[in-house]
Amino acid sequence: MGSTETTAVHLDEWTPARVRRTATVTVGLLMGVWVVDYVDRVMMAVALPSIGAEFALSKTEQGWLITVFSLVYLLCQIPGGVLADRFGARRLLVVSLVLWTAFTALTGLAWGLVSLLVIRALFGVGQGLFPGASFKALAERTTPGRRATAAGSMLASNQLGAGLAPLVVAPLLVVFGWRHTFWVVAAAGVLIGLALWALLPRPLPAALSGADRLGARPTSGAGLAMVIRSPSVWKFAALFCTTNMLGYGMITWVPSYLMEERGISLLNTGVLAAIPGLVMCLTTFAGGWLFDRFFHDRARLYVIPLLLCTAVLLVLMLRADSAAGFTTYQTLALAVAGLSTMGILGMPFRALPPAVIGSGMGVVNVGGQMAGVLAPVLMGWLVDRFSYTAAFGLLIGTTVLGALIAVIVPQRPEQFSLATKEAV
């Protein structure tokens, strides 16, 4: 009886205003970190022409600079999620940020392809620990009914970072050169890390966050085993892989395409490359709200038409006869794709119990980051062997494949369980 009364008093301290404030501050801080994350990540793509020219790298070798990061990043997703579930999100968030900031700075000291590959791989370790911790932090500080909207806001900052990166990095490259640019951007990581450590709120009580849904808290090994045995988790991982090819492909190769095929200057390339990412930031945020509000039980009805529409816009992008036309259709394609993001990630994020959210979203993110391994090097090879048209054509095919995979994923939380069999 005393325990129940203590719990009730404890919950009374969490007024609706305090719950909203906790979610708002958490989302704001995580958005700031994700922006820095993506600026640090995307700046390599913007700097590729300069780095490739200095070290005489082929397009395939340049693609490997993105792929080696993505491969290590992928391998760290599940360990990062398990560590977040076991040790808590706050410490892992800060450790991750410190590591990747250090290797961002070290990138400016590279002396050739091998050193760049090693540094970018270690950079991938730092960033690879972050997603599971960020999903864990968000799940502990939001209520289930608002979680997809909160996650949509957090993930919209990915595209904000992707959009800001060319605007920030291109002028820095012109003024300072690529080496000093990496050092300047690393300083921003130090500042956001200090803010995160000082300001991240404490988690909501389990009764509010839904962390008590599994009853006794599972051990990290047991929780991971439950997640890995779930077919639904792997279905969403496959869906995220195919749809994330688009983002990685555009981020990596559009700057080089605009400069080499369209003759656009570095500064103008920065502007043109930024527009689609900034628009996708807005639509990802809107997509989270739409999914929570209207489509939380009808994910397929939401996702499949959006992906097919994206594929059509990509075809029009390839047929454009000017850089402005290319950017216009690219922007429209990414805007529509952004609307689908939380339909793809919102279901597992809402359905997984917070006690295993780090591990579960780590597995789902393995699929998404497999795209980061495949897209840069496959598209680089297609450019070397055929053309940019063939490389961007690959993204049309993977987007359509994503629409087909969306047919078999669960639509409602009750269809998504950690059992070995689920209804489809």
Side-chain angles (χ1 to χ4, degrees):
M1 183 70 175
S3 175
T4 302
E5 290 175 352
T6 301
T7 301
V9 170
H10 181 60
L11 288 175
D12 285 344
E13 298 174 357
W14 288 87
T15 63
R18 184 179 179 185
V19 171
R20 287 194 300 271
R21 185 169 60 253
T22 295
T24 300
V25 173
T26 299
V27 170
L29 286 170
L30 291 176
M31 286 181 69
V33 182
W34 274 106
V35 167
V36 173
D37 175 302
Y38 260 70
V39 169
D40 285 4
R41 191 185 309 185
V42 173
M43 66 186 297
M44 175 56 77
V46 182
L48 271 182
S50 300
I51 294 172
E54 179 169 333
F55 297 124
L57 304 179
S58 70
K59 289 293 184 293
T60 303
E61 289 172 328
Q62 292 177 43
W64 274 110
L65 291 178
I66 307 297
T67 289
V68 70
F69 154 78
S70 299
L71 179 59
V72 175
Y73 185 83
L74 179 156
L75 294 174
C76 290
Q77 294 307 299
I78 295 177
V82 172
L83 288 172
D85 286 337
R86 183 172 179 81
F87 297 109
R90 188 167 179 262
R91 282 179 291 181
L92 191 61
L93 287 171
V94 174
V95 168
S96 170
L97 184 55
V98 168
L99 285 175
W100 95 58
T101 298
F103 289 112
T104 295
L106 286 174
T107 303
L109 299 176
W111 57 89
L113 177 61
V114 174
S115 63
L116 277 169
L117 289 171
V118 172
I119 293 169
R120 297 307 288 179
L122 294 172
F123 174 76
V125 173
Q127 289 215 335
L129 299 175
F130 177 69
S134 69
F135 281 114
K136 179 76 171 181
L138 194 63
E140 290 177 332
R141 293 162 176 81
T142 58
T143 56
R146 301 295 300 276
R147 195 156 288 156
T149 300
S153 301
M154 182 180 77
L155 294 177
S157 60
N158 297 356
Q159 303 309 321
L160 178 60
L164 288 176
L167 295 177
V168 172
V169 173
L172 290 175
L173 288 170
V174 171
V175 174
F176 298 112
W178 70 268
R179 294 181 183 275
H180 289 82
T181 295
F182 279 89
W183 300 337
V184 171
V185 173
V190 175
L191 297 178
I192 194 67
L194 293 172
L196 182 69
W197 180 259
L199 301 177
L200 185 68
R202 64 190 181 95
L204 300 178
L208 294 177
S209 69
D212 55 355
R213 282 168 46 202
L214 285 182
R217 184 182 181 87
T219 65
S220 59
L224 178 60
M226 294 165 63
V227 166
I228 288 177
R229 288 197 303 265
S230 171
S232 283
V233 172
W234 291 105
K235 290 175 185 176
F236 277 102
L239 176 59
F240 193 25
C241 176
T242 54
T243 55
N244 215 27
M245 290 284 287
L246 177 61
Y248 270 108
M250 293 293 186
I251 286 171
T252 304
W253 290 114
V254 164
S256 295
Y257 168 79
L258 291 175
M259 284 188 279
E260 295 171 9
E261 295 293 309
R262 299 291 187 173
I264 306 299
S265 69
L266 178 59
L267 287 177
N268 288 334
T269 291
V271 174
L272 292 177
I275 293 171
L278 294 174
V279 172
M280 193 175 184
C281 167
L282 298 176
T283 60
T284 301
F285 173 81
W289 180 82
L290 287 171
F291 180 72
D292 261 346
R293 176 84 170 161
F294 300 110
F295 293 99
H296 60 282
D297 289 333
R298 298 177 291 172
R300 294 177 202 158
L301 182 62
Y302 182 61
V303 169
I304 293 173
L306 290 173
L307 292 178
L308 293 177
C309 181
T310 299
V312 171
L313 290 167
L314 290 173
V315 172
L316 295 175
M317 179 191 79
L318 286 183
R319 294 173 62 85
D321 56 6
S322 67
F326 179 94
T327 301
T328 298
Y329 285 116
Q330 180 200 3
T331 301
L332 292 173
L334 291 180
V336 175
L339 289 173
S340 72
T341 300
M342 286 317 300
I344 295 166
L345 293 178
M347 180 62 71
F349 189 56
R350 286 197 315 142
L352 285 163
V356 294
I357 195 76
S359 304
M361 292 307 293
V363 172
V364 172
N365 209 28
V366 163
Q369 302 321 310
M370 181 60 73
V373 172
L374 297 174
V377 72
L378 283 179
M379 292 180 68
W381 179 81
L382 287 170
V383 172
D384 278 339
R385 194 71 186 269
F386 301 102
S387 65
Y388 275 104
T389 299
F392 290 122
L394 173 67
L395 303 181
I396 299 172
T398 55
T399 301
V400 173
L401 180 58
L404 295 176
I405 294 174
V407 173
I408 65 172
V409 299
Q411 294 197 85
R412 297 181 294 278
E414 60 269 22
Q415 294 176 322
F416 187 123
S417 74
L418 293 181
T420 56
K421 294 182 180 179
E422 296 97 343
V424 174

Short mmCIF file of all heavy atoms in Angstrom, two decimals, residues 135-196:
data_model
loop_
_atom_site.label_atom_id
_atom_site.label_comp_id
_atom_site.label_asym_id
_atom_site.label_seq_id
_atom_site.Cartn_x
_atom_site.Cartn_y
_atom_site.Cartn_z
N PHE A 135 17.32 7.44 -29.64
CA PHE A 135 15.98 6.86 -29.56
C PHE A 135 15.64 6.47 -28.12
O PHE A 135 14.50 6.64 -27.67
CB PHE A 135 15.87 5.64 -30.48
CG PHE A 135 15.68 5.98 -31.93
CD1 PHE A 135 16.65 5.67 -32.87
CD2 PHE A 135 14.52 6.61 -32.36
CE1 PHE A 135 16.47 5.99 -34.21
CE2 PHE A 135 14.33 6.93 -33.69
CZ PHE A 135 15.31 6.62 -34.63
N LYS A 136 16.61 5.95 -27.40
CA LYS A 136 16.40 5.59 -26.00
C LYS A 136 16.06 6.83 -25.17
O LYS A 136 15.12 6.83 -24.38
CB LYS A 136 17.67 4.92 -25.46
CG LYS A 136 17.59 4.51 -24.00
CD LYS A 136 16.77 3.26 -23.83
CE LYS A 136 16.87 2.72 -22.41
NZ LYS A 136 16.09 1.48 -22.26
N ALA A 137 16.84 7.88 -25.35
CA ALA A 137 16.60 9.12 -24.60
C ALA A 137 15.22 9.67 -24.89
O ALA A 137 14.50 10.13 -23.99
CB ALA A 137 17.67 10.16 -24.95
N LEU A 138 14.81 9.62 -26.15
CA LEU A 138 13.50 10.15 -26.53
C LEU A 138 12.38 9.28 -25.97
O LEU A 138 11.37 9.80 -25.47
CB LEU A 138 13.40 10.23 -28.05
CG LEU A 138 12.25 11.06 -28.61
CD1 LEU A 138 12.40 12.52 -28.20
CD2 LEU A 138 12.20 10.94 -30.13
N ALA A 139 12.52 7.96 -26.05
CA ALA A 139 11.48 7.06 -25.54
C ALA A 139 11.30 7.21 -24.04
O ALA A 139 10.18 7.07 -23.53
CB ALA A 139 11.84 5.61 -25.89
N GLU A 140 12.38 7.48 -23.31
CA GLU A 140 12.29 7.63 -21.86
C GLU A 140 11.66 8.96 -21.45
O GLU A 140 11.25 9.12 -20.31
CB GLU A 140 13.68 7.55 -21.25
CG GLU A 140 14.32 6.17 -21.30
CD GLU A 140 15.73 6.17 -20.75
OE1 GLU A 140 16.40 7.23 -20.82
OE2 GLU A 140 16.16 5.11 -20.27
N ARG A 141 11.58 9.91 -22.38
CA ARG A 141 11.15 11.26 -22.02
C ARG A 141 9.93 11.73 -22.78
O ARG A 141 9.62 12.93 -22.80
CB ARG A 141 12.33 12.24 -22.24
CG ARG A 141 13.47 11.99 -21.27
CD ARG A 141 14.79 12.61 -21.71
NE ARG A 141 15.84 12.44 -20.71
CZ ARG A 141 16.56 11.31 -20.59
NH1 ARG A 141 16.34 10.28 -21.41
NH2 ARG A 141 17.47 11.21 -19.65
N THR A 142 9.22 10.80 -23.43
CA THR A 142 7.97 11.12 -24.13
C THR A 142 6.92 10.08 -23.80
O THR A 142 7.25 8.94 -23.44
CB THR A 142 8.18 11.16 -25.66
OG1 THR A 142 8.69 9.89 -26.10
CG2 THR A 142 9.13 12.26 -26.07
N THR A 143 5.67 10.45 -23.96
CA THR A 143 4.56 9.50 -23.78
C THR A 143 4.31 8.79 -25.11
O THR A 143 4.56 9.35 -26.18
CB THR A 143 3.29 10.22 -23.33
OG1 THR A 143 2.96 11.24 -24.29
CG2 THR A 143 3.49 10.87 -21.96
N PRO A 144 3.79 7.55 -25.08
CA PRO A 144 3.62 6.79 -26.33
C PRO A 144 2.76 7.50 -27.37
O PRO A 144 3.05 7.40 -28.57
CB PRO A 144 2.96 5.49 -25.84
CG PRO A 144 3.45 5.33 -24.44
CD PRO A 144 3.52 6.73 -23.89
N GLY A 145 1.72 8.21 -26.94
CA GLY A 145 0.82 8.83 -27.90
C GLY A 145 1.43 9.97 -28.70
O GLY A 145 0.93 10.32 -29.76
N ARG A 146 2.51 10.56 -28.20
CA ARG A 146 3.16 11.68 -28.90
C ARG A 146 4.52 11.29 -29.45
O ARG A 146 5.27 12.14 -29.93
CB ARG A 146 3.33 12.86 -27.93
CG ARG A 146 2.05 13.38 -27.34
CD ARG A 146 1.15 13.99 -28.40
NE ARG A 146 1.81 15.10 -29.08
CZ ARG A 146 1.83 16.34 -28.63
NH1 ARG A 146 1.22 16.64 -27.49
NH2 ARG A 146 2.44 17.30 -29.29
N ARG A 147 4.85 10.00 -29.39
CA ARG A 147 6.23 9.59 -29.67
C ARG A 147 6.61 9.74 -31.14
O ARG A 147 7.72 10.13 -31.46
CB ARG A 147 6.42 8.15 -29.19
CG ARG A 147 7.87 7.73 -29.09
CD ARG A 147 8.02 6.59 -28.10
NE ARG A 147 7.85 7.05 -26.74
CZ ARG A 147 7.46 6.27 -25.73
NH1 ARG A 147 7.19 4.99 -25.95
NH2 ARG A 147 7.36 6.76 -24.52
N ALA A 148 5.70 9.39 -32.04
CA ALA A 148 6.04 9.51 -33.47
C ALA A 148 6.22 10.96 -33.88
O ALA A 148 7.11 11.28 -34.68
CB ALA A 148 4.96 8.84 -34.33
N THR A 149 5.39 11.86 -33.33
CA THR A 149 5.56 13.28 -33.62
C THR A 149 6.91 13.77 -33.11
O THR A 149 7.64 14.49 -33.80
CB THR A 149 4.44 14.10 -32.98
OG1 THR A 149 3.18 13.66 -33.49
CG2 THR A 149 4.61 15.58 -33.27
N ALA A 150 7.27 13.35 -31.88
CA ALA A 150 8.56 13.74 -31.32
C ALA A 150 9.70 13.18 -32.14
O ALA A 150 10.69 13.88 -32.44
CB ALA A 150 8.66 13.27 -29.87
N ALA A 151 9.59 11.91 -32.53
CA ALA A 151 10.65 11.30 -33.34
C ALA A 151 10.73 11.94 -34.71
O ALA A 151 11.82 12.11 -35.27
CB ALA A 151 10.40 9.80 -33.48
N GLY A 152 9.57 12.31 -35.28
CA GLY A 152 9.57 13.00 -36.56
C GLY A 152 10.31 14.32 -36.47
O GLY A 152 11.06 14.70 -37.37
N SER A 153 10.11 15.04 -35.36
CA SER A 153 10.82 16.30 -35.16
C SER A 153 12.31 16.05 -35.05
O SER A 153 13.12 16.77 -35.65
CB SER A 153 10.31 16.98 -33.89
OG SER A 153 8.93 17.23 -33.97
N MET A 154 12.69 15.03 -34.26
CA MET A 154 14.10 14.73 -34.09
C MET A 154 14.75 14.34 -35.41
O MET A 154 15.83 14.82 -35.77
CB MET A 154 14.28 13.60 -33.07
CG MET A 154 15.73 13.25 -32.77
SD MET A 154 15.90 11.92 -31.55
CE MET A 154 15.50 10.48 -32.57
N LEU A 155 14.07 13.48 -36.17
CA LEU A 155 14.65 13.01 -37.42
C LEU A 155 14.60 14.06 -38.52
O LEU A 155 15.38 14.01 -39.47
CB LEU A 155 13.95 11.72 -37.87
CG LEU A 155 14.17 10.52 -36.94
CD1 LEU A 155 13.38 9.31 -37.43
CD2 LEU A 155 15.65 10.17 -36.85
N ALA A 156 13.67 15.02 -38.39
CA ALA A 156 13.66 16.13 -39.35
C ALA A 156 14.97 16.90 -39.30
O ALA A 156 15.42 17.46 -40.30
CB ALA A 156 12.49 17.07 -39.06
N SER A 157 15.60 16.89 -38.12
CA SER A 157 16.87 17.60 -37.99
C SER A 157 17.98 16.94 -38.80
O SER A 157 18.99 17.57 -39.12
CB SER A 157 17.28 17.70 -36.52
OG SER A 157 17.45 16.42 -35.95
N ASN A 158 17.81 15.64 -39.14
CA ASN A 158 18.76 15.01 -40.06
C ASN A 158 18.82 15.78 -41.36
O ASN A 158 19.89 16.09 -41.90
CB ASN A 158 18.36 13.56 -40.37
CG ASN A 158 18.38 12.67 -39.15
OD1 ASN A 158 18.76 13.08 -38.07
ND2 ASN A 158 17.98 11.43 -39.33
N GLN A 159 17.63 16.03 -41.90
CA GLN A 159 17.56 16.74 -43.17
C GLN A 159 17.94 18.21 -43.02
O GLN A 159 18.47 18.81 -43.95
CB GLN A 159 16.15 16.60 -43.75
CG GLN A 159 15.70 15.16 -43.94
CD GLN A 159 16.73 14.34 -44.70
OE1 GLN A 159 17.34 14.81 -45.65
NE2 GLN A 159 16.92 13.09 -44.28
N LEU A 160 17.66 18.78 -41.84
CA LEU A 160 18.11 20.15 -41.60
C LEU A 160 19.64 20.20 -41.64
O LEU A 160 20.23 21.09 -42.27
CB LEU A 160 17.60 20.63 -40.24
CG LEU A 160 18.03 22.04 -39.81
CD1 LEU A 160 17.56 23.07 -40.83
CD2 LEU A 160 17.50 22.36 -38.42
N GLY A 161 20.28 19.21 -40.99
CA GLY A 161 21.74 19.15 -41.03
C GLY A 161 22.25 18.91 -42.44
O GLY A 161 23.24 19.52 -42.87
N ALA A 162 21.56 18.01 -43.17
CA ALA A 162 21.96 17.72 -44.55
C ALA A 162 21.79 18.95 -45.43
O ALA A 162 22.58 19.19 -46.35
CB ALA A 162 21.14 16.56 -45.09
N GLY A 163 20.74 19.74 -45.13
CA GLY A 163 20.53 20.95 -45.91
C GLY A 163 21.50 22.07 -45.55
O GLY A 163 21.97 22.81 -46.41
N LEU A 164 21.80 22.19 -44.25
CA LEU A 164 22.71 23.25 -43.81
C LEU A 164 24.15 22.96 -44.19
O LEU A 164 24.93 23.89 -44.42
CB LEU A 164 22.61 23.42 -42.29
CG LEU A 164 21.35 24.06 -41.75
CD1 LEU A 164 21.39 24.07 -40.22
CD2 LEU A 164 21.18 25.48 -42.27
N ALA A 165 24.51 21.68 -44.25
CA ALA A 165 25.91 21.32 -44.48
C ALA A 165 26.49 21.97 -45.73
O ALA A 165 27.57 22.59 -45.67
CB ALA A 165 26.07 19.80 -44.54
N PRO A 166 25.84 21.87 -46.90
CA PRO A 166 26.43 22.53 -48.08
C PRO A 166 26.52 24.04 -47.93
O PRO A 166 27.49 24.66 -48.38
CB PRO A 166 25.47 22.15 -49.23
CG PRO A 166 24.77 20.92 -48.74
CD PRO A 166 24.63 21.10 -47.26
N LEU A 167 25.51 24.66 -47.27
CA LEU A 167 25.53 26.11 -47.08
C LEU A 167 26.66 26.54 -46.16
O LEU A 167 27.27 27.60 -46.36
CB LEU A 167 24.19 26.58 -46.50
CG LEU A 167 22.96 26.40 -47.38
CD1 LEU A 167 21.71 26.84 -46.64
CD2 LEU A 167 23.10 27.20 -48.69
N VAL A 168 26.93 25.72 -45.14
CA VAL A 168 28.00 26.04 -44.20
C VAL A 168 29.37 25.66 -44.75
O VAL A 168 30.34 26.42 -44.67
CB VAL A 168 27.75 25.32 -42.85
CG1 VAL A 168 28.95 25.47 -41.92
CG2 VAL A 168 26.48 25.85 -42.19
N VAL A 169 29.44 24.45 -45.32
CA VAL A 169 30.73 23.88 -45.68
C VAL A 169 31.30 24.51 -46.95
O VAL A 169 32.51 24.77 -47.04
CB VAL A 169 30.62 22.35 -45.83
CG1 VAL A 169 31.91 21.76 -46.38
CG2 VAL A 169 30.27 21.72 -44.48
N ALA A 170 30.45 24.77 -47.96
CA ALA A 170 30.96 25.29 -49.23
C ALA A 170 31.73 26.61 -49.05
O ALA A 170 32.86 26.75 -49.55
CB ALA A 170 29.83 25.44 -50.24
N PRO A 171 31.16 27.60 -48.33
CA PRO A 171 31.95 28.83 -48.13
C PRO A 171 33.23 28.59 -47.33
O PRO A 171 34.27 29.21 -47.61
CB PRO A 171 30.98 29.75 -47.36
CG PRO A 171 29.62 29.22 -47.67
CD PRO A 171 29.79 27.74 -47.81
N LEU A 172 33.16 27.70 -46.32
CA LEU A 172 34.36 27.40 -45.54
C LEU A 172 35.44 26.76 -46.41
O LEU A 172 36.63 27.05 -46.27
CB LEU A 172 34.02 26.47 -44.38
CG LEU A 172 33.18 27.08 -43.24
CD1 LEU A 172 32.82 26.01 -42.22
CD2 LEU A 172 33.93 28.22 -42.56
N LEU A 173 35.03 25.89 -47.33
CA LEU A 173 35.99 25.26 -48.24
C LEU A 173 36.68 26.30 -49.11
O LEU A 173 37.89 26.23 -49.36
CB LEU A 173 35.30 24.23 -49.11
CG LEU A 173 34.87 22.92 -48.45
CD1 LEU A 173 33.99 22.12 -49.39
CD2 LEU A 173 36.08 22.11 -48.03
N VAL A 174 35.88 27.26 -49.59
CA VAL A 174 36.44 28.30 -50.45
C VAL A 174 37.44 29.16 -49.68
O VAL A 174 38.51 29.52 -50.17
CB VAL A 174 35.32 29.17 -51.04
CG1 VAL A 174 35.89 30.39 -51.76
CG2 VAL A 174 34.46 28.34 -52.01
N VAL A 175 37.09 29.51 -48.44
CA VAL A 175 37.92 30.44 -47.65
C VAL A 175 39.11 29.75 -47.01
O VAL A 175 40.24 30.27 -47.05
CB VAL A 175 37.05 31.13 -46.58
CG1 VAL A 175 37.93 32.00 -45.67
CG2 VAL A 175 35.96 31.97 -47.22
N PHE A 176 38.88 28.57 -46.42
CA PHE A 176 39.91 27.93 -45.60
C PHE A 176 40.54 26.69 -46.22
O PHE A 176 41.59 26.24 -45.75
CB PHE A 176 39.33 27.54 -44.23
CG PHE A 176 38.85 28.69 -43.41
CD1 PHE A 176 37.50 28.85 -43.15
CD2 PHE A 176 39.74 29.63 -42.91
CE1 PHE A 176 37.04 29.92 -42.39
CE2 PHE A 176 39.30 30.70 -42.15
CZ PHE A 176 37.94 30.85 -41.89
N GLY A 177 39.89 26.09 -47.21
CA GLY A 177 40.36 24.80 -47.71
C GLY A 177 39.73 23.67 -46.91
O GLY A 177 39.22 23.87 -45.82
N TRP A 178 39.81 22.44 -47.45
CA TRP A 178 39.06 21.36 -46.83
C TRP A 178 39.61 20.94 -45.47
O TRP A 178 38.84 20.56 -44.58
CB TRP A 178 38.97 20.16 -47.78
CG TRP A 178 40.23 19.40 -48.03
CD1 TRP A 178 41.13 19.60 -49.02
CD2 TRP A 178 40.73 18.28 -47.27
NE1 TRP A 178 42.16 18.70 -48.95
CE2 TRP A 178 41.94 17.87 -47.89
CE3 TRP A 178 40.28 17.58 -46.16
CZ2 TRP A 178 42.70 16.80 -47.41
CZ3 TRP A 178 41.04 16.52 -45.68
CH2 TRP A 178 42.23 16.14 -46.30
N ARG A 179 40.90 21.03 -45.26
CA ARG A 179 41.47 20.59 -43.98
C ARG A 179 41.00 21.47 -42.82
O ARG A 179 40.51 20.97 -41.80
CB ARG A 179 43.00 20.59 -44.06
CG ARG A 179 43.57 19.57 -45.04
CD ARG A 179 45.09 19.60 -45.03
NE ARG A 179 45.64 18.68 -46.03
CZ ARG A 179 45.84 17.38 -45.82
NH1 ARG A 179 45.53 16.84 -44.65
NH2 ARG A 179 46.36 16.62 -46.77
N HIS A 180 41.14 22.76 -42.96
CA HIS A 180 40.72 23.67 -41.89
C HIS A 180 39.21 23.64 -41.68
O HIS A 180 38.73 23.88 -40.57
CB HIS A 180 41.19 25.09 -42.19
CG HIS A 180 42.66 25.28 -42.06
ND1 HIS A 180 43.54 24.94 -43.07
CD2 HIS A 180 43.42 25.76 -41.04
CE1 HIS A 180 44.78 25.21 -42.69
NE2 HIS A 180 44.74 25.71 -41.46
N THR A 181 38.46 23.34 -42.73
CA THR A 181 37.01 23.27 -42.60
C THR A 181 36.60 22.19 -41.60
O THR A 181 35.70 22.39 -40.78
CB THR A 181 36.37 23.00 -43.97
OG1 THR A 181 36.64 24.12 -44.83
CG2 THR A 181 34.87 22.81 -43.85
N PHE A 182 37.27 21.03 -41.65
CA PHE A 182 36.95 19.97 -40.69
C PHE A 182 37.24 20.41 -39.26
O PHE A 182 36.53 20.03 -38.33
CB PHE A 182 37.72 18.70 -41.04
CG PHE A 182 37.09 17.89 -42.14
CD1 PHE A 182 37.41 18.13 -43.47
CD2 PHE A 182 36.15 16.91 -41.86
CE1 PHE A 182 36.82 17.41 -44.49
CE2 PHE A 182 35.55 16.18 -42.88
CZ PHE A 182 35.89 16.42 -44.19
N TRP A 183 38.27 21.21 -39.04
CA TRP A 183 38.60 21.66 -37.70
C TRP A 183 37.56 22.66 -37.19
O TRP A 183 37.18 22.61 -36.02
CB TRP A 183 39.99 22.31 -37.69
CG TRP A 183 41.08 21.37 -38.13
CD1 TRP A 183 41.04 19.99 -38.10
CD2 TRP A 183 42.35 21.72 -38.65
NE1 TRP A 183 42.21 19.46 -38.59
CE2 TRP A 183 43.05 20.50 -38.93
CE3 TRP A 183 43.01 22.92 -38.91
CZ2 TRP A 183 44.34 20.47 -39.46
CZ3 TRP A 183 44.29 22.88 -39.43
CH2 TRP A 183 44.95 21.67 -39.71
N VAL A 184 37.11 23.56 -38.07
CA VAL A 184 36.12 24.55 -37.67
C VAL A 184 34.81 23.87 -37.26
O VAL A 184 34.22 24.19 -36.22
CB VAL A 184 35.87 25.56 -38.82
CG1 VAL A 184 34.69 26.46 -38.48
CG2 VAL A 184 37.11 26.39 -39.07
N VAL A 185 34.37 22.91 -38.06
CA VAL A 185 33.10 22.25 -37.78
C VAL A 185 33.19 21.41 -36.50
O VAL A 185 32.22 21.28 -35.75
CB VAL A 185 32.67 21.38 -38.98
CG1 VAL A 185 31.45 20.55 -38.65
CG2 VAL A 185 32.39 22.28 -40.19
N ALA A 186 34.36 20.83 -36.23
CA ALA A 186 34.53 20.02 -35.01
C ALA A 186 34.27 20.86 -33.76
O ALA A 186 33.78 20.32 -32.74
CB ALA A 186 35.93 19.43 -34.97
N ALA A 187 34.58 22.15 -33.81
CA ALA A 187 34.37 23.00 -32.63
C ALA A 187 32.89 23.07 -32.25
O ALA A 187 32.55 23.17 -31.06
CB ALA A 187 34.91 24.40 -32.91
N ALA A 188 32.00 23.01 -33.23
CA ALA A 188 30.56 23.04 -32.93
C ALA A 188 30.15 21.81 -32.12
O ALA A 188 29.25 21.89 -31.28
CB ALA A 188 29.76 23.12 -34.23
N GLY A 189 30.79 20.67 -32.38
CA GLY A 189 30.48 19.47 -31.62
C GLY A 189 30.79 19.62 -30.14
O GLY A 189 30.06 19.09 -29.29
N VAL A 190 31.85 20.34 -29.82
CA VAL A 190 32.20 20.56 -28.42
C VAL A 190 31.12 21.36 -27.71
O VAL A 190 30.69 21.03 -26.59
CB VAL A 190 33.56 21.29 -28.32
CG1 VAL A 190 33.88 21.64 -26.87
CG2 VAL A 190 34.66 20.45 -28.94
N LEU A 191 30.62 22.39 -28.36
CA LEU A 191 29.62 23.25 -27.75
C LEU A 191 28.30 22.51 -27.52
O LEU A 191 27.71 22.61 -26.44
CB LEU A 191 29.38 24.49 -28.64
CG LEU A 191 30.58 25.41 -28.83
CD1 LEU A 191 30.23 26.56 -29.78
CD2 LEU A 191 31.06 25.95 -27.49
N ILE A 192 27.82 21.76 -28.52
CA ILE A 192 26.54 21.06 -28.36
C ILE A 192 26.68 19.94 -27.34
O ILE A 192 25.73 19.60 -26.63
CB ILE A 192 26.03 20.54 -29.71
CG1 ILE A 192 24.55 20.12 -29.60
CG2 ILE A 192 26.86 19.38 -30.21
CD1 ILE A 192 23.60 21.23 -29.35
N GLY A 193 27.87 19.34 -27.22
CA GLY A 193 28.09 18.31 -26.21
C GLY A 193 27.95 18.84 -24.81
O GLY A 193 27.34 18.20 -23.93
N LEU A 194 28.50 20.02 -24.56
CA LEU A 194 28.37 20.64 -23.24
C LEU A 194 26.92 20.95 -22.93
O LEU A 194 26.45 20.74 -21.80
CB LEU A 194 29.22 21.92 -23.20
CG LEU A 194 30.74 21.73 -23.27
CD1 LEU A 194 31.44 23.08 -23.40
CD2 LEU A 194 31.24 20.98 -22.05
N ALA A 195 26.18 21.46 -23.92
CA ALA A 195 24.77 21.77 -23.70
C ALA A 195 23.96 20.50 -23.41
O ALA A 195 23.09 20.50 -22.52
CB ALA A 195 24.20 22.48 -24.93
N LEU A 196 24.24 19.43 -24.13
CA LEU A 196 23.52 18.18 -23.92
C LEU A 196 23.73 17.64 -22.51
O LEU A 196 22.78 17.23 -21.83
CB LEU A 196 23.97 17.15 -24.95
CG LEU A 196 23.28 15.78 -24.91
CD1 LEU A 196 21.84 15.91 -25.34
CD2 LEU A 196 24.02 14.79 -25.80
#
